[in-house]
Amino acid sequence: MKHCVFIVVALLAIVCDAAAQGYTWEASPRAPHEIPRTYLGLEAGLSYAVYPASFDYIEESIGITCCTFDNGSGLPMSLSLVGTQWLSSRINLSAGLGVSVFHASFVAPTQPVPLSNGQILQTEYVLDGSLTYATGFGSVSMRLGPTNLLATIGARVHASIGGALTQRERIVEPTGAEFSGQNPGREVVIAQTFLDHTTPIVVEPFVQIGYDIALAYGMVIQPSIGFGMPLGSLLTNDDWFMRAIGLRMRLLKGL
């Protein structure tokens, strides 16, 4: 009877998935091996962001506020070195360091102007911004059930290292109308400046869902989708907030 119980238990152990971290690697069909717990690699990210904002554009040549920019959008990008440490087969900690660039574009209409030919000239101001940060982050992930899905919560800390703005005016209508000058066209660059009032440190809590794919022994690729929302404004003197949803790809090698 004891032998029968032992055989049943052994068979059940064989059919159960007992792979560490869920990775079904096999270095050798006979020799024992140890699954790495520490991983190092790269992470690249691309997001779509909306920027609720409220800041004025002042025409420097005449010192008059011409318009107020409010809602914008853009494509933040990032590239980081990342390390992951598994605490158990279900929970890991990650940390990374890299560079992030927040691209943004805002549009504000101007007041229509009647032309001598009876048509109405309608233009709009366009503000293109680029904010560059040194970024560090930390997170904790938990495997969801027996799958390779990972739920992650963490925070990124962005330290501002630069920012630039390009201000343009472009003609919306009528068709065929152009700005005069040395470079006539339907669009003219008003100013290109550095952005001096960026918030020095920005904290961005985030959540994401990822999936681990074992490529080869000791190598993992992890696509994920996440949502991040920096706390506070990106500017010290005006309101410029951010809400971003994006894709990330992480490639890790076991140590």
Side-chain angles (χ1 to χ4, degrees), residues 68-239:
T68 299
F69 292 103
D70 44 31
N71 295 322
S73 62
L75 298 173
M77 300 181 293
S78 65
L79 182 64
S80 303
L81 288 172
V82 60
T84 295
Q85 177 67 45
W86 284 89
L87 304 181
S88 70
S89 62
R90 297 180 59 82
I91 298 175
N92 71 52
L93 299 178
S94 293
L97 183 65
V99 176
S100 300
V101 180
F102 296 172
H103 295 290
S105 182
F106 300 86
V107 177
T110 65
Q111 292 294 327
V113 177
L115 300 176
S116 58
N117 60 6
Q119 294 181 309
I120 300 297
L121 176 66
Q122 177 67 65
T123 67
E124 61 187 9
Y125 288 113
V126 180
L127 183 69
D128 293 320
S130 177
L131 308 178
T132 304
Y133 300 91
T135 299
F137 69 88
S139 65
V140 58
S141 301
M142 175 177 290
R143 192 172 298 284
L144 300 179
T147 72
N148 280 358
L149 281 171
L150 288 169
T152 300
I153 184 170
R156 301 182 184 97
V157 179
H158 305 287
S160 177
I161 56 178
L165 294 176
T166 299
Q167 300 165 351
R168 297 175 287 131
E169 186 178 6
R170 64 188 178 196
I171 297 174
V172 178
E173 57 183 17
T175 302
E178 292 186 346
F179 292 107
S180 60
Q182 293 182 345
N183 299 303
R186 293 182 61 82
E187 183 176 282
V188 60
V189 175
I190 300 173
Q192 291 178 307
T193 62
F194 290 103
L195 194 55
D196 298 324
H197 301 290
T198 55
T199 301
I201 300 294
V202 176
V203 178
E204 179 193 359
F206 68 90
V207 293
Q208 66 187 40
I209 294 291
Y211 190 86
D212 278 347
I213 302 172
L215 295 180
Y217 183 77
M219 293 192 67
V220 180
I221 189 170
Q222 183 193 100
S224 63
I225 183 170
F227 173 78
M229 186 175 69
L231 303 177
S233 175
L234 302 180
L235 299 180
T236 58
N237 61 337
D238 281 303
D239 292 336

Side-chain angles (χ1 to χ4, degrees), residues 6-57:
F6 176 79
I7 292 173
V8 171
V9 171
L11 290 174
L12 290 175
I14 291 173
V15 299
C16 291
D17 184 5
Q21 297 111 44
Y23 305 144
T24 55
W25 291 326
E26 184 180 59
S28 167
R30 299 182 61 185
H33 63 280
E34 183 178 353
I35 298 294
R37 287 178 172 268
T38 304
Y39 296 81
L40 187 66
L42 293 173
E43 181 182 83
L46 177 64
S47 303
Y48 174 77
V50 294
Y51 298 105
S54 178
F55 53 91
D56 297 330
Y57 165 60

